[in-house]
Amino acid sequence: MISREPTLERLAVARAMLLDPFGLDDDALARALGCIGEHRIDDADLYFQITRHEGWSLEEGIVKSGSFGIDQGVGVRAVAGEKTAFAYSDDISEASLLDAARTVRSIAAAGQSRKVKLAAAPKLALSRALYGPTDPIATLDSAQKVALLEKIERLARARDPRIVQVMAGLAAEYDVVLVARADGTRAADVRPLVRMSITVIAESNGRREVGSGGGGGRFGLGYFQDAQLESYVDQAVNAALTNLESRPAPAGEMTVVLGPGWPGVLLHEAVGHGLEGDFNRKGSSTFAGRIGQRVAAKGVTVLDDGTLPDRRGSLNVDDEGHPSQRNVLIEDGILKGYIQDAMNARLMGVKPTGNGRRESYAHVPMPRMTNTYMLAGDKTKEEIVASIKRGLYATNFGGGQVDITSGKFVFSASEAFWVENGRIQYPVKGATIIGNGPDALTRVKLIGNDLQLDTGVGVCGKEGQSVPVGVGQPTLRIDGLTVGGTA
């Protein structure tokens, strides 16, 4: 059997699911784009999408819910200068396409010379092959999916008699997209996505505490073998039992050590959003106009990398048809660049970075992160913890907030420990870490050699849109952060 090149294979799948059933072909797409291009515009695209999604949840030993859904439609966009006109429809037909095209072209006046040159023939976009075109929903039957949830509950309850409640969830998604751009570019992606989650409640002497775990990525449900399930259970149970022993967190300005992996969510929120192109083009980010300047301590290198195989935040092509990239944002403390979608890149005179993302066909793209992480240093975790005279060692985080303009952030630590004279004393509860993203980067004193990415659970929100992302970092020591506590 002869297999096609992956980009061609994905395009064939997308055509078979999104064009052929509705009597559409390249000529129909060209007519819609040509209709938009009759007016003076800078860019235009069509974004077709079909998504099948399934979810199961288990609580108190029984399946509490099961769901399956299909969403499909097309988004039509025209861009003129800084203005965007957008229309979408769940009716995929040439009539709907042309109607939407006539609507969005009103963003620019008729009769002016064209700014965007419409291509005479389609051309294939460059792309990557980071994950297989698997339909994860079909990789296990319903009974096997329920059995996974039942197994994870049994494992959690067997870990410790103090575990009194277990909640588990399993989600799978099969997403197929096709992008047609005014310059003739045709791009497609077939995106699997799965996630397993577990939350446990531990009780002792009338006190109840919560712990959670889970993970996933762009592959089939066969990923969730026994060893993987056990790691999620250990993560959740250990967190709950640790919090049963926690004491009120001290407050004040102190040294804070962040553990590896998921604590990189602080980097994502406090720094990553501030490096997105739209905020910097408008001058609303604290990083605006600072390319080439020192914005972090030496040794701090931050990347946004959409090219990591099978990762939750990775993409073969972004939602504008550009291949994902490995973008160095900060190198050894020096600001090197921003992450860009097509419009903001054009307006800033730079190239897109493969970060044009949208929640669905019903949303406009904007610059968004993929997998954002800091590179490792040369210190061991033990050396970094031993360097703390008095301070906090935070190994897991819950929610947080950040102000893009000022860079100020507030994060709650869901698992943390008090450290004195280089020794962990006891777990603490109720610690919130308060600081300023750009300022915190300059206060990084020690960087661990233990870079980890999160297990595959991240969801990023921006302007009402949610997309899957990844985060990561090594163990970090940051001096002079403010900790809000309960002690």
Side-chain angles (χ1 to χ4, degrees):
M1 179 179 178
I2 299 174
S3 61
R4 280 180 284 194
E5 190 273 337
T7 302
L8 290 173
E9 187 67 40
R10 292 192 294 266
L11 196 56
V13 171
R15 289 181 185 280
M17 297 185 70
L18 291 164
L19 299 186
D20 296 347
F22 308 102
L24 298 176
D25 55 18
D26 274 313
D27 289 340
L29 305 188
R31 284 191 290 272
L33 291 167
C35 177
I36 302 172
E38 290 174 2
H39 288 198
R40 184 179 170 87
I41 59 169
D42 288 291
D43 201 1
D45 59 25
L46 314 175
Y47 182 84
F48 297 84
Q49 181 180 37
I50 181 168
T51 305
R52 296 204 299 259
H53 45 87
E54 182 180 83
W56 298 86
S57 68
L58 179 143
E59 187 176 346
E60 297 175 347
I62 61 174
V63 174
K64 282 293 181 75
S65 67
S67 63
F68 177 82
I70 300 177
D71 297 317
Q72 64 183 33
V74 58
V76 180
R77 178 177 64 140
V79 181
E82 298 183 20
K83 299 184 296 180
T84 296
F86 181 71
Y88 68 92
S89 173
D90 58 8
D91 173 27
I92 301 177
S93 67
E94 185 167 1
S96 292
L97 275 181
L98 291 174
D99 186 46
R102 285 187 287 268
T103 299
V104 301
R105 74 179 183 182
S106 62
I107 193 172
Q112 300 181 38
S113 60
R114 290 177 177 171
K115 296 173 73 175
V116 62
K117 183 178 180 180
L118 299 176
K123 59 183 180 181
L124 192 64
L126 298 174
S127 69
R128 305 189 181 277
L130 304 172
Y131 37 84
T134 306
D135 179 357
I137 296 173
T139 56
L140 294 179
D141 63 31
S142 296
Q144 290 171 313
K145 294 165 186 172
V146 171
L148 276 179
L149 296 178
E150 291 173 339
K151 179 181 288 186
I152 208 167
E153 188 200 38
R154 288 196 304 272
L155 289 170
R157 290 188 180 277
R159 282 290 188 274
D160 195 284
R162 290 171 290 179
I163 301 300
V164 296
Q165 192 167 348
V166 180
M167 294 150 282
L170 181 66
E173 180 178 288
Y174 180 63
D175 187 31
V176 179
V177 303
L178 187 150
V179 183
R181 298 185 62 85
D183 65 1
T185 298
R186 301 291 184 266
D189 205 0
V190 180
R191 301 169 178 168
L193 189 64
V194 298
R195 176 176 171 175
M196 173 74 79
S197 60
I198 174 173
T199 300
V200 303
I201 298 176
E203 183 174 10
S204 178
N205 299 321
R207 180 175 177 177
R208 294 165 68 93
E209 295 290 349
V210 176
S212 61
R218 296 197 180 279
F219 30 66
L221 293 170
Y223 175 78
F224 298 121
Q225 298 295 313
D226 288 354
Q228 196 63 56
L229 297 181
E230 288 171 2
S231 72
Y232 298 157
V233 168
D234 288 343
Q235 182 184 6
V237 171
N238 291 343
L241 297 182
T242 296
N243 285 329
L244 277 180
E245 308 299 323
S246 63
R247 308 179 192 178
E253 186 176 293
M254 64 186 71
T255 296
V256 174
V257 169
L258 307 177
W262 178 248
V265 68
L266 190 150
L267 181 76
H268 168 103
E269 295 288 357
V271 179
H273 278 298
L275 296 176
E276 291 169 336
D278 47 356
F279 296 126
N280 288 280
R281 177 179 63 81
K282 298 171 185 176
S284 58
S285 169
T286 186
F287 292 104
R290 299 186 65 187
I291 297 291
Q293 296 181 19
R294 177 165 296 282
V295 296
K298 288 186 68 64
V300 173
T301 296
V302 178
L303 282 69
D304 184 86
D305 189 352
T307 71
L308 302 176
D310 297 329
R311 296 299 305 182
R312 182 176 171 84
S314 295
L315 300 168
N316 287 317
V317 291
D318 72 3
D319 294 327
E320 298 180 303
H322 298 110
S324 55
Q325 295 182 191
R326 180 181 187 271
N327 299 299
V328 179
L329 305 178
I330 299 172
E331 185 173 26
D332 199 21
I334 305 299
L335 182 60
K336 293 295 185 179
Y338 308 120
I339 57 177
Q340 302 283 5
D341 64 349
M343 184 186 79
N344 287 283
R346 173 177 52 80
L347 293 170
M348 295 181 74
V350 297
K351 294 181 179 179
T353 60
N355 291 90
R357 305 190 65 187
R358 57 179 110 199
E359 180 176 322
S360 76
Y361 69 88
H363 300 83
V364 295
M366 62 182 82
R368 305 291 300 272
M369 284 172 277
T370 55
N371 304 296
T372 309
Y373 57 95
M374 182 186 296
L375 294 186
D378 60 357
K379 303 298 183 184
T380 67
K381 176 186 72 176
E382 291 75 18
E383 286 179 297
I384 295 176
V385 173
S387 73
I388 306 173
K389 184 172 180 60
R390 294 181 77 253
L392 192 75
Y393 176 35
T395 56
N396 208 349
F397 280 96
Q401 293 181 326
V402 62
D403 183 303
I404 300 299
T405 302
S406 67
K408 293 180 180 178
F409 63 80
V410 178
F411 276 85
S412 60
S414 58
E415 188 175 5
F417 302 85
W418 181 247
V419 180
E420 289 187 14
N421 298 318
R423 293 183 179 275
I424 295 175
Q425 302 296 314
Y426 49 83
V428 297
K429 184 180 180 183
T432 57
I433 298 176
I434 304 164
N436 176 285
D439 177 64
L441 285 183
T442 67
R443 297 172 179 266
V444 173
K445 299 301 180 183
L446 298 174
I447 303 174
N449 60 7
D450 56 347
L451 167 64
Q452 292 180 23
L453 299 176
D454 75 290
T455 57
V457 297
V459 178
C460 173
K462 178 180 176 181
E463 296 183 21
Q465 293 193 42
S466 296
V467 296
V469 296
V471 300
Q473 67 173 41
T475 299
L476 293 179
R477 172 179 158 173
I478 306 176
D479 287 355
L481 288 182
T482 299
V483 174
T486 51

